[in-house]
Each structure stands twice: as structure tokens, then as C-alpha cells.
Amino acid sequence: MTENNEEVGGLCDGKFGDSLFRKPFTHLLRKNELPELFKKVEGMNDHRLLAIITALLIETRLDNLLGLFLPRYSKLLNASNFTFSMKINLLEALNFVPPSITTAAHCLRKIRNEFAHDLSKVDFSSIEEPLKRSLRSLCEECLSW
């Protein structure tokens, strides 16, 4: 329970007052795409590919979310220098979602970058220790909810 006696349910739910929206507003999207998205990574055993595809799925969801609130978001989206990191930072600046969502997105982005820029990294055990600690911390936080 939070200080306002409201439950916090998971990674996508935030604490009262931390952001403009405390709960996911997936009802604004036309349909729930999560089952289809999960199918895209189901059975994938290549960690590098899993990290890159998952990051792409998350980035697409960020684009959809930002596009709901920014009428001319396509101007940013079509700019070649508008990166995944900048999209997450924009979402943080707008303060629409709980910080746990953008923290998780940054963590995933960093993991994707490790795999994308270092061919010697072949599985999750080979990512840098500080990033592993961040990922473990996020997982523990999700499990505690």
C-alpha cells in the first residue's frame, strides 16, 4: 500500500504522486498487443537476439505511447538522430509514467547496446556487472510488488 492507501501492483504501476499517470493506460490503445509481442520472443534462446528484439518491441511501444500525446510526434520519429535513449528521456520529462518503467527501459537499452556493440558478448552472463546488478534490482523490485 502507498501512503494514500492505494496498492502498487507491478512494474507498470507507480506510487501515488510520482508521475502524472499511476497505472497503465493501455485502454487508449486500440487493442492489447502484448500477447502478439510475447509470441515474437517465445522460444528464443539466443540472448543477443532476444535483447535486441525485446528492445525493439519496447521502443515501438514508447513510440506508440508518445504518439498518443504528441500530435506531431512523427516529426521526431522521422529524425534519424532521435534515439531510443532520447525517447525514454522524453517520456521521463513528460512524467506520464512511473519512473520504474523508464528505469527498466534504460536498463534494457543498455543491455541491447552491450550486445549490439560487442561481438564477444554472447549471453546475459557476459554483460557488465553494474548492469547485471541494475537488472537484478529491477527484478527484485518487481517481485516485491
Side-chain angles (χ1 to χ4, degrees):
M1 296 286 222
T2 65
E3 50 195 45
N4 289 342
N5 292 330
E6 294 186 40
E7 289 186 36
V8 176
L11 177 64
C12 293
D13 294 347
K15 295 176 184 165
F16 186 79
D18 273 355
S19 57
L20 184 58
F21 299 105
R22 244 186 25 81
K23 295 212 170 262
F25 35 91
T26 54
H27 63 283
L28 294 176
L29 303 172
R30 292 204 164 89
K31 68 176 193 164
N32 182 1
E33 298 173 345
L34 287 178
E36 292 173 32
L37 296 177
F38 288 137
K39 285 180 185 174
K40 292 185 186 301
V41 295
E42 185 177 26
M44 200 176 285
N45 294 319
D46 181 320
H47 292 183
R48 177 189 307 276
L49 187 57
L50 180 61
I52 292 170
I53 297 295
T54 302
L56 181 58
L57 293 172
I58 298 302
E59 185 172 6
T60 301
R61 299 297 289 179
L62 285 178
D63 288 333
N64 292 343
L65 177 62
L66 290 167
L68 288 171
F69 294 98
L70 301 171
R72 293 188 175 176
Y73 182 65
S74 62
K75 289 216 173 256
L76 292 172
L77 193 57
N78 293 331
S80 62
N81 61 347
F82 190 54
T83 64
F84 189 16
S85 179
M86 293 171 89
K87 293 171 186 182
I88 299 168
N89 289 336
L90 176 58
L91 191 58
E92 286 175 323
L94 291 168
N95 199 31
F96 282 165
V97 299
S100 57
I101 293 175
T102 53
T103 298
H106 275 303
C107 187
L108 179 60
R109 177 187 58 78
K110 290 173 185 174
I111 291 170
R112 182 221 40 197
N113 286 350
E114 285 214 20
F115 282 122
H117 299 290
D118 188 343
L119 288 175
S120 69
K121 309 239 170 148
V122 294
D123 57 31
F124 289 119
S125 66
S126 63
I127 63 174
E128 298 295 325
E129 193 55 42
L131 192 49
K132 280 191 222 180
R133 281 194 301 274
S134 295
L135 187 57
R136 275 193 291 272
S137 174
L138 278 171
C139 291
E140 288 169 4
E141 189 175 333
C142 290
L143 291 173
S144 72
W145 290 337

